[in-house]
Amino acid sequence: MKLMYYIIILITITTQIFAQSNYDEKIFHPYSGKFALSIDGGVTYSRTDFKNDGLDLLTRASLEFYIPTLSFGSIGFKAFGGLGYLTADGSPSSNSEFINTVDFRTLTYNFGGGVSYNYAATTTVLPYLFGGISYFYFDPKTKDGNELQPAIGSFSPHKIMLTGETGVKFLLSENFGLNIAAGVNYINSDLLDGYKLGTDNDIFFHALGGLTYYFGGVKDTDGDGIRDKFDQCTETPPMVTVDEVGC
């Protein structure tokens, strides 16, 4: 759990360092009209019925489109898919039937979509918030890949997952960026570890880092707030007010 706290603190500090009080309303948001293809890797942190929470691996790929805007905040629409594992150890119960149940490792994959809000703290540092919903599949076994004992019985491995995430995107160039993120994932089930024990559902967190390739986007060469394809005066000096055709 400490890992998640550290990441959130890092994101908050970074946002404060690079935040600016005024955003030039004539400049398009850095993501305006762009597509973003991202590959991320990181870890999951599981809270289940097993005594000792565990860390495991997670990968995710996504494609996002950002609505063009002159505001400091841009809305993005993301499609994503992920593959990873959840794990923990320590017997989930003191009952004698669980005496040989020492750990679990659950294969998971999901795909879905969501909406993000991306704040342009500067033209290269962009904190964001994301909320999404996805189809979620899980298959709990032991860490050795064997069936859990005692047998977990029949259940549906198909669920709906809700995800909340915050992070920071760093633009390294016009076409490439770096991402860091942390989030929480909720499934209405207590069976992520294979067993339904207690009154609380299982839950897991994630921390990710990765790279993004950006393509497309609004072009405004002279920064007057008029797109190049509509701009009839493409060399407007800075701080000059223009009309609807950029002159």
Side-chain angles (χ1 to χ4, degrees):
M1 194 69 178
K2 290 183 178 179
L3 176 63
M4 308 303 298
Y5 292 149
Y6 292 150
I7 292 174
I8 293 172
I9 290 172
L10 175 61
I11 290 171
T12 302
I13 293 174
T14 302
T15 302
Q16 292 298 320
I17 290 175
F18 289 99
Q20 58 182 29
S21 57
N22 296 305
Y23 188 85
D24 190 340
E25 296 181 353
K26 291 174 57 180
I27 299 177
F28 280 98
H29 190 281
Y31 289 159
S32 281
K34 286 189 174 184
F35 289 88
L37 181 62
S38 301
I39 300 293
D40 299 289
V43 297
T44 60
Y45 176 81
S46 309
R47 296 296 305 273
T48 68
D49 297 309
F50 281 68
K51 292 180 180 178
N52 304 317
D53 303 332
L55 294 174
D56 217 313
L57 301 177
L58 177 66
T59 60
R60 185 177 70 186
S62 64
L63 178 65
E64 189 166 8
F65 173 73
Y66 304 98
I67 295 176
T69 179
L70 289 168
S71 170
F72 56 76
S74 176
I75 301 297
F77 296 95
K78 178 187 289 188
F80 62 90
L83 173 67
Y85 292 91
L86 309 177
T87 193
D89 56 35
S91 177
S93 172
S94 59
N95 293 344
S96 58
E97 63 179 322
F98 291 97
I99 190 170
N100 294 318
T101 308
V102 296
D103 59 45
F104 83 94
R105 194 182 195 212
T106 298
L107 168 69
T108 73
Y109 62 79
N110 70 296
F111 56 88
V115 179
S116 66
Y117 176 79
N118 305 268
Y119 174 73
T122 74
T123 56
T124 59
V125 179
L126 298 100
Y128 73 93
L129 295 173
F130 171 78
I133 185 171
S134 61
Y135 162 79
F136 181 82
Y137 171 86
F138 64 106
D139 183 20
K141 296 183 182 297
T142 69
K143 288 185 178 180
D144 295 329
N146 300 318
E147 298 297 326
L148 289 167
Q149 296 296 329
I152 60 180
S154 62
F155 68 93
S156 173
H158 311 287
K159 299 293 182 180
I160 296 298
M161 180 171 74
L162 301 178
T163 297
E165 182 177 287
T166 184
V168 180
K169 303 173 184 178
F170 301 91
L171 276 175
L172 305 179
S173 68
E174 183 177 351
N175 296 110
F176 291 96
L178 176 68
N179 326 303
I180 58 172
V184 59
N185 307 275
Y186 176 78
I187 302 95
N188 187 25
S189 174
D190 189 33
L191 289 168
L192 297 185
D193 56 7
Y195 298 107
K196 184 175 178 60
L197 302 169
T199 59
D200 296 329
N201 286 334
D202 298 331
I203 195 170
F204 73 95
F205 304 85
H206 67 261
L208 294 168
L211 296 173
T212 296
Y213 173 70
Y214 297 96
F215 57 97
V218 172
K219 301 297 182 183
D220 180 18
T221 304
D222 55 7
D224 60 0
I226 305 298
R227 303 186 195 190
D228 283 355
K229 65 178 181 179
F230 302 125
D231 199 339
Q232 297 181 15
C233 301
T234 58
E235 297 181 356
T236 302
M239 307 304 292
V240 173
T241 301
V242 298
D243 59 19
E244 66 274 8
V245 295
C247 297

